[in-house]
Amino acid sequence: MSNQITINADIAKGTINRNIYGHFSEHLGRCIYEGFWVGEDSVIPNTKGIRNDVVEALKKLNIPVLRWPGGCFADEYHWKDGIGPSEERKRMINTHWGGVVENNHFGTHEFLLLCEQLGCEPYISGNVGSGTVQEMSEWVEYMTFDGVSPMAELREKNGREKPWKLKYFGVGNENWGCGGNMRPEYYADLYRRYQTYVRNYGDNEIYRIACGPNVDDYKWMEVLMREAAGKMDGISLHYYTVPKDWQDKGAATGFPEDEWALTLRKALWMEELITKHSAIMDQYDPEKRVGLIVDEWGTWFNTEPGTNPGFLYQQNSIRDALVAGLTLHIFHDHCDRVQMANIAQIVNVLQSVILTEGEKMLLTPTYHIFDMFKVHQDAELLDTHTTSARYEHGDELLPQISVSASKAADGKIHISLCNLDHSAEADVSIALRGLTQGLKTIKGTVLSGAAIDSHNTFEQPNAVEPAAFTSFTWDGAQVSAKLPAMSVTVLELIEQ
């Protein structure tokens, strides 16, 4: 059976918010220190302590938004420990992640400088678990108030006269777990209280994000929406793709074929999670004013042997690339509700787009998916109908392909296709209707691997990288393509 796709180029289903392509950085393992921050005295080329190679690579992805400082770390982070002369900053134990000493050399000024270098919006997670209302209120004042006040004067004393622009602010993180082990009723009341003091100063208007549910905790979503929907702009959802279980998650490389299909099936569960949580949100917010913010998602495997288990360092293979492609397609399909997503985490932790080792840096297969898919940012999602062949392996039965199409402001149509089958090519027929003119050109890019765990190493950093895709023909508005096994392809179509 071949795969039949119809794309209605004249039917737009909504705008794909560019923030769906957001990222997440936590004080965890080697994400901040070594990943971003090396200090001004480092032999690694840097600008004011932030390594240049990582910033330059990330700028190519058009990163829209970066979340910080956690994660679980956010609810034990006290921001005043991370301002002022670095040699005077308080040292603390990072109790969540490895028990290592946190020297607070990377704080508010350094994070907002990083965002300026990347050209992205900052998204800050405030401390509800162990912090106070006053502490959270003063942090917002410190960053955004333009006038005479104690926090504005403290900011100026630390070298920043003008305030920063800050739009996205999370009121707590995982308060059902590491952020305080709260009941939803208790957190809902705390949220209402804390968000009151997250002030808008001048023309800086903050988008307040409440801590939402863990995976399929639909009661948490129900309670938060019932009690506080009118006082939030967004609510978060966390879901990680874990192939096996939390005690033995499975290896990032060297895994058996069964875990390929198992992993992709679990990644596809994101569709059900968003659908059911959105249905609850619709009851209290039928106008869809409140955004669903999937601010932690991605693969989670066993840590690499020989590394600190609290650092969550794992390799990244072509399987991760498929998980990224499938998940981004699901976010596209729910663009009416999903307004931001942040893959965890950006460098050296979980499903990273970049890995570093001393002065070395490599781009992972997931990086290449974000690079290939950036054409979807802020584009109009096109109506698409797919009849997919089946991918059957062991007990797993999945659709062979996943498809998403969008139309950019310049009129170009982009079609991204994932072939989930790890061993078979996929024949695809694409019917394009609703074109205003005939097709002028088509070009394609493909990412695949020689094995189910193909990945890049510091010895072979380009083992998995995009290549030109030419296995297609087209006649009028009909395109036929043959997708490699375990691949992600993006086609660009230009009308005459």
Side-chain angles (χ1 to χ4, degrees):
M1 176 183 176
S2 63
N3 299 281
Q4 306 291 329
I5 302 166
T6 300
I7 297 173
N8 294 305
D10 56 346
I11 301 178
K13 299 183 70 176
T15 301
I16 299 170
N17 193 322
R18 67 196 311 266
N19 287 337
I20 287 171
Y21 287 83
H23 291 259
F24 173 35
S25 57
E26 183 170 2
H27 288 243
L28 197 177
R30 297 189 297 112
C31 180
I32 299 297
Y33 302 105
E34 297 185 40
F36 280 121
W37 181 258
V38 293
E40 293 186 72
D41 296 331
S42 174
V43 297
I44 298 174
N46 67 86
T47 301
K48 297 184 177 179
I50 299 172
R51 58 187 298 168
N52 295 340
D53 54 353
V54 171
V55 168
E56 287 307 308
L58 293 174
K59 285 171 67 174
K60 294 178 181 175
L61 298 184
N62 296 339
I63 288 177
V65 60
L66 181 62
R67 182 173 182 244
W68 175 85
C72 293
F73 184 78
D75 277 285
E76 65 177 8
Y77 182 66
H78 301 283
W79 68 271
K80 287 184 180 176
D81 295 344
I83 59 174
S86 59
E87 66 274 12
E88 297 177 10
R89 295 184 188 182
K90 185 183 294 184
R91 295 161 68 89
M92 59 182 280
I93 301 172
N94 190 333
T95 57
H96 284 293
W97 306 119
V100 295
V101 174
E102 162 66 53
N103 63 21
N104 279 303
H105 285 188
F106 189 93
T108 302
H109 289 251
E110 290 76 19
F111 172 66
L112 293 169
L113 173 63
L114 170 63
C115 290
E116 288 175 353
Q117 292 183 7
L118 293 173
C120 72
E121 295 273 2
Y123 166 19
I124 286 182
S125 295
N127 182 348
V128 171
S130 66
T132 66
V133 171
Q134 180 181 358
E135 182 180 16
M136 184 178 290
S137 174
E138 288 184 340
W139 199 5
V140 174
E141 178 187 327
Y142 183 88
M143 290 184 283
T144 65
F145 184 68
D146 189 8
V148 178
S149 81
M151 292 303 106
E153 290 174 356
L154 181 58
R155 183 188 67 230
E156 185 172 354
K157 177 184 174 184
N158 289 328
R160 175 82 182 196
E161 179 182 356
K162 289 295 182 184
W164 292 277
K165 287 292 183 184
L166 175 67
K167 182 173 182 180
Y168 300 106
F169 195 91
V171 181
N173 165 80
E174 295 193 0
N175 300 99
W176 35 261
C178 64
N181 287 305
M182 301 175 190
R183 296 175 300 111
E185 294 83 357
Y186 180 72
Y187 171 74
D189 283 345
L190 278 187
Y191 173 78
R192 293 167 63 98
R193 178 184 174 212
Y194 274 66
Q195 67 82 33
T196 302
Y197 301 94
V198 178
R199 306 287 194 192
N200 292 328
Y201 292 110
D203 62 354
N204 187 79
E205 188 170 344
I206 291 180
Y207 184 102
R208 294 167 179 78
I209 299 171
C211 169
N214 178 33
V215 194
D216 57 349
D217 185 350
Y218 300 113
K219 178 185 177 184
W220 186 282
M221 179 64 82
E222 165 75 24
V223 172
L224 261 294
M225 289 300 292
R226 185 186 72 214
E227 301 296 338
K231 299 183 183 302
M232 67 176 74
D233 300 297
I235 185 167
S236 66
L237 169 66
H238 289 183
Y239 171 59
Y240 287 96
T241 298
V242 177
K244 297 170 72 177
D245 56 50
W246 286 100
Q247 286 67 46
D248 178 16
K249 305 176 189 68
T253 58
F255 52 85
E257 288 185 343
D258 289 350
E259 287 183 27
W260 171 277
L262 175 62
T263 303
L264 298 188
R265 192 248 295 167
K266 290 198 169 183
L268 288 169
W269 194 34
M270 183 70 84
E271 169 66 34
E272 178 181 323
L273 293 172
I274 292 177
T275 298
K276 290 185 175 179
H277 282 299
S278 295
I280 295 169
M281 296 176 71
D282 287 348
Q283 295 177 39
Y284 300 94
D285 178 39
E287 302 299 321
K288 301 184 187 299
R289 184 191 61 81
V290 178
L292 184 58
I293 311 298
V294 191
D295 56 17
E296 290 190 30
W297 69 273
T299 55
W300 194 325
F301 306 122
N302 296 333
T303 54
E304 291 296 315
T307 65
N308 187 326
F311 282 10
L312 308 186
Y313 178 80
Q314 64 189 39
Q315 250 296 353
N316 192 294
S317 74
I318 187 65
R319 180 177 59 166
D320 295 82
L322 265 294
V323 170
L326 291 175
T327 305
L328 291 168
H329 282 180
I330 293 169
F331 294 157
H332 291 182
D333 288 341
H334 291 273
C335 65
D336 60 336
R337 184 62 88 176
V338 180
Q339 297 302 316
M340 184 196 296
N342 309 78
I343 188 171
Q345 296 184 359
I346 191 165
V347 187
N348 290 332
V349 175
L350 299 177
Q351 193 176 349
S352 308
V353 296
I354 286 177
L355 300 177
T356 67
E357 186 177 275
E359 298 181 45
K360 300 176 183 176
M361 183 199 78
L362 65 79
L363 310 178
T364 70
T366 299
Y367 174 97
H368 295 306
I369 295 302
F370 274 77
D371 192 27
M372 292 163 62
F373 276 40
K374 65 186 179 185
V375 293
H376 290 305
Q377 292 185 18
D378 289 336
E380 291 294 317
L381 178 69
L382 297 181
D383 184 55
T384 301
H385 298 268
T386 304
T387 301
S388 175
R390 298 192 307 179
Y391 164 43
E392 189 170 1
H393 182 80
D395 296 331
E396 304 293 344
L397 181 61
L398 306 173
Q400 185 183 18
I401 63 165
S402 169
V403 184
S404 189
S406 70
K407 189 170 189 176
D410 62 4
K412 293 178 181 176
I413 293 173
H414 296 98
I415 306 170
S416 45
L417 306 112
C418 301
N419 180 8
L420 282 62
D421 196 317
H422 71 286
S423 61
E425 296 176 323
D427 291 317
V428 175
S429 296
I430 306 171
L432 291 151
R433 63 157 303 280
L435 297 174
T436 54
Q437 304 176 73
L439 289 176
K440 179 180 179 181
T441 61
I442 302 177
K443 64 180 181 180
T445 305
V446 65
L447 187 76
S448 186
I452 58 174
D453 65 345
S454 291
H455 58 279
N456 295 329
T457 65
F458 293 102
E459 292 72 34
Q460 293 184 299
N462 301 314
V464 182
E465 62 179 356
F469 178 71
T470 57
S471 298
F472 63 87
T473 60
W474 54 286
D475 181 12
Q478 187 74 32
V479 181
S480 298
K482 187 179 288 294
L483 310 177
M486 51 184 175
S487 67
V488 182
T489 303
V490 175
L491 299 176
E492 180 179 281
L493 286 61
I494 300 176
E495 292 186 76
Q496 292 179 342

